């Protein structure tokens, strides 16, 4: 409301309110007055009509006048809308009354005037309250007054009638006020738009500022209307254009201006710093159209640039140099490649600053190493200009500069060296006089050598050459060359350090990732690993053979890139290998791995806090997927810690994703247990494990990535190798922002003929028959050479299960790449290998088993444990077993198949 429009709106509203009030009050007063007059006339008319009504004299003369007159009076009262019709005798006794209790009683009232024969109307306080009452005499045939008829109307009833008219009056006043307010609002809105919401003080101040600016600014200002007429010109514009006093209002073409300037001012073409001649002045003209911010027209500013004409050449050169340095900051260092950064320095300087640019770097810089010190031996890394026709050293050549060469001087002093005229520089010629002459013959005549220094270390040197018609370098050019070299040196040093760290990270990562897939029969596997362009990451995979011909498939991802991510990946991969050797279920293994990650993270965070000035680098985040496949049953057990679930491709080509309970990433579980899922898959199915870099990208969300993976996997049966190729071809982004690990495994099932299983009663006498059956099956398999050792192993394991375990006891033989003997029972107590003393009677059984087999161990199940042992097949039978057999046979041991008829254990 401080604006002019707001104040006008308030004034209009105030005037409307006053007008409405002035009209409403007289109307209300007039309505009250008219109602009172109407009440007086009505009561008088009703009284006269009743007093002169037929039969009233007869009724008065009757024995009971009230019985006749009271009904007629009530009917008249109701019909006329009055409060009462009262008939009095001259002695004041009421014959009729609206209140029946007052009939027959003496009522005092102002009736003296009516008693003498005159009708009257007055207002008085009666039995009904403040009333308007009319009294009329009833005369007989002789003109004598025999009674008085009185008709009162209470003031309250009169006011009630007036009040019923007030809503109409108030409604009309409100409607008038609303219409007037709406009109005022429209007027205020239009005024606000035209005054831009300014107040009186602001408008006054704006006018004062407008006037002072126009008359004090050192630029000419013109406002030209849409019809080409001059609307406004300040004092500076009048001076610059030499305008007449009556110029405002005249057409621009009639002001005597130069034709090209007049054409520009009348056109609709905006311009910026367009130079025009006005008399002997050189004016820089800026023109902007007022539309759409105002009416048609334009605003023109004029600036006298006559004194700047001499400086325009130097300003152009300075502007070009600034533009060169700006472009250098944008174009140099776009990659973290040392050679490419050197080429970018040369490319940005040719031909805008030099005709030829060469960059030489010391060899350790190219390898990402720290330069050993100041030296004059460098390798030509980049050369740009004159389409390679110059006679300078080619790219790739190792150059040893002599001590007097400008490059040696620049490197030794750490400052740029300027050679304005190479034909007179003996120091430059001394390097290679013959080549120097060819360079001069080629037209190159001037040189600036700038050392490339970063962090006080010389990385190389940049050479800027000019040839033919180009002006020789001067001292101002030296500063530009130094600035270019300084920016490039920082970028080259960053690239060098990145190259070193990247090489170290790649070496570390390659040493930590699997070199190949282990030999096993349960799966046919293939893999792909693609590092991100941003650097080495923490993605990893593994195929780990387990006991019982089972295989573990592992895929993990460590957040981040660089050495820390690669080192963390190696630690987690080693931990998974160690935990898998304990034959843990997938959910339990991930629980142990989660505890390990939380422990490592706490240790590194504490170490970072204790070390002043060092940042704590804990494990920012890691995920892992652990899958175990059993070729004997075809069962797959899967558990995940924040990792995408694997895909299963059925032999018919349909693709499903495992439904695995969701668990948080490693180190974030807060002690929550992990859950696993189990599924039996048909033979020939493909298990597809991957990291999120395959399905997630900046241009693709997770759901779209999973759907794309489904399409890439669907279709006819393919080998794991072909599946990897097809998936990467369909889904690999052009510039991967994250590492990609892909592991595809096609399942195989053990032939039923490769598996033999027996249930063993918990009776020591049952050992011999089972042992005999196992030897018979080994003979059928053609493994008679190792039957003796297997018989010893089974005898010890079965006896231990019967003696120390609980039911059920089961024996299983698996013929795979090795012979696997498994004895399971319902006890969760595992055996422990120890070295028995000379005096001990027992404790040598497991030691003997460990000597006879390649590997053995214990695997716990939900219902007990499995003790397993692996033996090499006959082409790799253990010499220890053969020697042991000969030893027993030499001492009279029974032949294979009749072992232990009387004894149940060794």
């Amino acid at each position: 409301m401080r604006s002019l429009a707001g104040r006008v709106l308030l004034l209009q509203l105030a005037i409307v309110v006053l007008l409405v009030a002035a009209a409403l009050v007289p109307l209300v007063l007039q309505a009250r007055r008219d109602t009172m007059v109407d009440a007086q006339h009505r009561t008088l008319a009703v009284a006269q009509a009743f007093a002169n009504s037929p039969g009233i004299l007869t009724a008065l003369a009757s024995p009971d006048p009230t019985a006749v007159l009271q009904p007629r009076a009530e009917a008249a009262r109701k019909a006329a809308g009055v409060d009462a019709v009262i008939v009095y005798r001259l002695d004041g006794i009421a014959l009729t009354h609206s209140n029946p209790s007052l009939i027959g009683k003496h009522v005092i009232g102002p009736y003296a005037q009516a008693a003498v024969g005159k009708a009257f109307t007055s207002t008085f306080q009666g039995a009904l309250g403040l009333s308007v009452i009319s009294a009329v005499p009833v005369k007989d045939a002789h003109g004598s007054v025999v009674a008085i008829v009185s008709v009162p109307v209470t003031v309250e009833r009169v006011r009630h009638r007036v009040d019923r008219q007030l809503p109409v009056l108030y409604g009309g006043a409100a409607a008038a006020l609303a219409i007037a307010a709406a009109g005022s609002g429209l007027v205020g809105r239009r005024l606000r738009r035209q005054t831009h919401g300014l107040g009186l003080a602001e408008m006054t101040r704006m006018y004062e500022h407008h006037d002072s600016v126009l008359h004090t600014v050192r630029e000419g200002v013109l406002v030209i209307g849409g019809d080409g007429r001059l609307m406004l010109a300040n004092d500076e514009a009048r001076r610059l254009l030499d305008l007449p006093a009556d110029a405002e209002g005249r057409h621009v073409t009639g002001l005597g201006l130069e034709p090209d300037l007049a054409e520009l001012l009348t056109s609709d073409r905006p311009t910026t710093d367009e130079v025009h001649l006005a008399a002997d002045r050189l004016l820089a003209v800026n023109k902007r159209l007022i539309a759409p911010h105002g009416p048609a027209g334009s605003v023109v500013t004029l600036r006298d640039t006559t004194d700047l004409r001499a400086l325009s050449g130097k300003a152009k050169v300075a502007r070009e140099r600034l533009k060169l340095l700006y472009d250098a900051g944008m174009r140099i260092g776009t990659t973290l490649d040392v050679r490419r950064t050197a080429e970018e320095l040369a490319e940005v300087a040719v031909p805008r600053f030099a005709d030829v640019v060469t960059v030489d770097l010391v060899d350790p810089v190219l390898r990402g190493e720290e330069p050993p010190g100041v030296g004059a031996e460098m390798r030509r890394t980049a050369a740009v200009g004159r389409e390679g026709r110059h006679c300078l050293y080619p790219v790739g050549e190792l150059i040893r500069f002599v001590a007097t060469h400008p490059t040696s001087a620049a490197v030794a002093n750490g400052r740029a060296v300027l050679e304005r005229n190479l034909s007179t520089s003996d120091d430059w010629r001394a390097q290679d006089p013959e080549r120097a002459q060819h360079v001069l013959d080629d037209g190159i005549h001037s040189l600036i050598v700038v050392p490339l220094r970063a962090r006080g270390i010389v990385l190389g040197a940049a050479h800027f050459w000019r040839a033919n018609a180009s002006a020789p370098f001067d001292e101002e050019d030296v500063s530009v060359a130094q600035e270019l070299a300084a920016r490039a040196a920082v970028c080259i040093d960053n690239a060098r350090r990145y190259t070193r760290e990247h090489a170290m990270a790649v070496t570390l990562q390659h040493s930590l990732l699997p070199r190949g897939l282990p030999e096993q029969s349960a799966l046919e596997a293939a893999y792909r690993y693609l590092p991100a362009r941003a650097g080495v990451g923490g993605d990893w995979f593994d195929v780990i053979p387990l006991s019982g011909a089972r295989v573990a498939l592992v895929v993990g991802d460590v957040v981040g890139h660089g050495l820390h991510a690669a080192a963390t990946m190696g630690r987690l991969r080693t931990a998974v290998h160690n935990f898998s050797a304990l034959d843990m279920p997938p959910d339990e293994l991930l629980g142990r791995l989660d505890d390990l990650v939380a422990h490592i993270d706490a240790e590194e965070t504490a170490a970072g806090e204790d070390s002043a000035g060092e940042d704590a680098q804990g494990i920012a985040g890691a995920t892992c997927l652990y899958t175990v496949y059993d070729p004997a049953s075809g069962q797959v057990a899967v558990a995940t810690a924040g990792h995408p679930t694997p895909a299963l491709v059925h032999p018919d080509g349909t693709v499903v994703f495992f439904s695995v309970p969701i668990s948080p990433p490693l180190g974030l579980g807060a002690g929550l247990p992990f859950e696993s899922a189990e599924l039996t898959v048909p033979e020939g199915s493909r298990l597809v494990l991957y990291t999120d870099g395959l399905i997630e990208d900046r241009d693709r969300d997770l759901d779209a990535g999973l759907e794309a993976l489904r399409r890439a996997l669907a279709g006819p049966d393919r080998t794991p190798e072909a599946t990897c190729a097809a998936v990467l071809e369909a889904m690999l982004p052009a510039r991967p922002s994250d590492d990609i690990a892909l592991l595809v495994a096609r399942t195989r099932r053990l032939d039923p003929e490769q598996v033999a299983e027996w249930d063993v009663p918990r009776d020591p006498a049952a050992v011999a028959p089972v042992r005999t059956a196992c030897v018979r099956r080994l003979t059928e398999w053609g493994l008679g050479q190792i039957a003796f050792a297997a018989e010893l192993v089974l005898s010890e394991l079965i006896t231990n299960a019967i003696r120390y375990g609980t039911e059920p006891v089961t024996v299983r033989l698996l013929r795979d790449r090795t012979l696997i003997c498994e004895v399971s029972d319902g006890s969760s107590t595992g055996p422990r290998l120890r070295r028995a003393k000379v005096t001990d009677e027992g404790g040598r059984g497991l030691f003997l088993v460990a000597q006879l087999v390649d590997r053995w161990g214990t695997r716990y199940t939900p219902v007990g444990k499995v003790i397993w042992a692996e033996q090499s097949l006959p082409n790799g039978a253990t010499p220890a077993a053969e020697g042991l057999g000969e030893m027993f046979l030499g001492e009279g041991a029974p032949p294979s198949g009749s072992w232990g008829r009387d004894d149940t254990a060794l």
Side-chain angles (χ1 to χ4, degrees), residues 3-10 12 180-197:
S3 65
L4 177 62
R7 294 182 179 182
V8 171
L9 176 61
L10 286 178
Q12 290 178 329
S184 300
L186 293 177
V187 173
R189 182 179 178 183
R190 178 64 179 271
L191 184 61
R192 184 182 300 108
R193 186 167 60 249
Q194 292 183 345
T195 60
H196 301 283

Side-chain angles (χ1 to χ4, degrees), residues 708-760:
L709 178 60
R710 185 193 301 273
R711 292 195 300 268
L713 293 173
D717 187 21
R718 290 187 289 247
T719 64
E721 193 70 32
T723 302
C724 289
V727 169
L728 291 185
E729 181 180 359
M731 301 190 62
L732 185 65
R735 296 182 62 87
S737 58
D738 195 5
D739 294 5
I740 296 176
L742 175 64
L743 181 60
V744 180
R746 182 158 57 183
T747 61
R748 297 170 179 163
R749 296 285 288 271
L750 291 179
D751 193 292
E753 293 297 326
Q754 296 178 263
V755 182
E757 189 171 359
W758 297 270
D759 293 329
V760 182

Side-chain angles (χ1 to χ4, degrees), residues 108-114 120 122 124 133 135:
I108 300 174
Y111 309 119
Q113 190 175 357
F120 73 92
S122 66
F124 81 105
I133 188 168

Side-chain angles (χ1 to χ4, degrees), residues 189 191 220 294 349 508 572 593 604 697 757 796 881 891:
R189 182 179 178 183
L191 184 61
L508 175 62
L572 295 184
L593 194 62
E604 293 188 353
D697 191 60
E757 189 171 359
E796 171 63 24
E891 296 180 358

Side-chain angles (χ1 to χ4, degrees), residues 330-344 488 490-496 498-499 533 735:
M330 299 296 294
R331 294 174 54 184
I332 298 176
T334 58
T335 66
L336 289 174
D337 182 81
V338 174
R339 287 182 173 82
R340 180 55 192 156
T341 304
E343 292 172 356
E344 289 171 344
V490 173
C491 296
I492 290 173
D493 187 56
N494 290 338
R496 177 194 65 80
Y498 170 79
T499 301
R533 293 183 179 268
R735 296 182 62 87

Side-chain angles (χ1 to χ4, degrees), residues 68-84:
V68 179
L69 295 178
Q70 179 66 19
R72 295 173 60 184
E74 285 299 307
R77 178 184 68 81
K78 294 178 180 179
V82 294
D83 290 320

